[in-house]
Amino acid sequence: MTSIKPSFLWMMYRCGWATKSGQETVLTVDIGREGFEWALRYACLPGYVPGANADRADWQRRLKRSPTRIQWDPERDLRLRALPCRSLQLGPSGEAVRRYADEGTVAVRDVTSLAHEVHGHVRDGGLDTVRRLLPEERPYPAKTDRLSGSRP
């Protein structure tokens, strides 16, 4: 299984600014909207949440069939502290990984040096400089029906 995490700062939290063992390289992978929405449409929450599915049995059936897990993790600020808003994380497996790798990937870029540069500015207190370096991130205009009821 792999993960799709569309938040730069959440990734920096996860990989420790590209310093954690085995996570010293950070790549951005641009994927097409069609592939991303396919993953959302067939996603299932990893745990039962009342109201997200008809009942627990419905959730269990969906979980077995679903090629994608979806969860919401706390977004992070520049110091990687948790914020009250959430960032999407998709965990594709099986067919979803194949689609992601073979059909959905538009571009791959190494942003390890950007991670180190941003971290240096954060560490040194240059937060205004950091804000200009961060990738632009906008809320995704997803409709609830695209999320198959998995939205929190």
Side-chain angles (χ1 to χ4, degrees):
M1 184 176 259
T2 186
S3 293
I4 300 171
K5 301 172 186 85
S7 165
F8 182 79
L9 290 174
W10 195 92
M11 274 305 305
M12 296 305 98
Y13 165 75
R14 184 77 176 114
C15 72
W17 298 104
T19 62
K20 287 184 180 177
S21 178
Q23 298 182 48
E24 295 92 349
T25 301
V26 179
L27 303 175
T28 62
V29 180
D30 295 342
I31 60 176
R33 182 176 297 265
E34 183 177 313
F36 185 71
E37 290 189 0
W38 183 91
L40 288 175
R41 189 168 35 261
Y42 294 103
C44 184
L45 292 167
Y48 175 68
V49 176
N53 295 98
D55 55 33
R56 186 176 293 277
D58 177 53
W59 166 76
Q60 288 174 328
R61 282 190 298 277
R62 287 191 47 134
L63 185 66
K64 287 178 184 174
R65 291 190 326 258
S66 176
T68 310
R69 302 292 179 269
I70 189 170
Q71 66 186 49
W72 301 87
D73 298 313
E75 182 53 86
R76 301 293 165 161
D77 68 12
L78 289 170
R79 300 209 186 275
L80 306 184
R81 296 174 298 215
L83 294 171
C85 56
R86 299 288 187 158
S87 267
L88 175 73
Q89 177 178 320
L90 289 175
S93 63
E95 179 184 0
V97 171
R98 184 196 59 75
R99 285 174 169 260
Y100 173 60
D102 296 341
E103 301 168 13
T105 301
V106 175
V108 178
R109 290 178 310 239
D110 186 334
V111 294
T112 307
S113 60
L114 175 62
H116 293 157
E117 182 180 4
V118 169
H119 184 220
H121 288 296
V122 169
R123 193 178 48 240
D124 297 339
L127 299 185
D128 290 333
T129 300
V130 168
R131 287 183 182 89
R132 290 191 296 272
L133 294 173
L134 291 176
E136 179 184 1
E137 296 177 357
R138 297 178 312 272
Y140 189 77
K143 295 178 184 172
T144 302
D145 64 324
R146 289 187 201 150
L147 299 175
S148 304
S150 339
R151 197 167 174 193

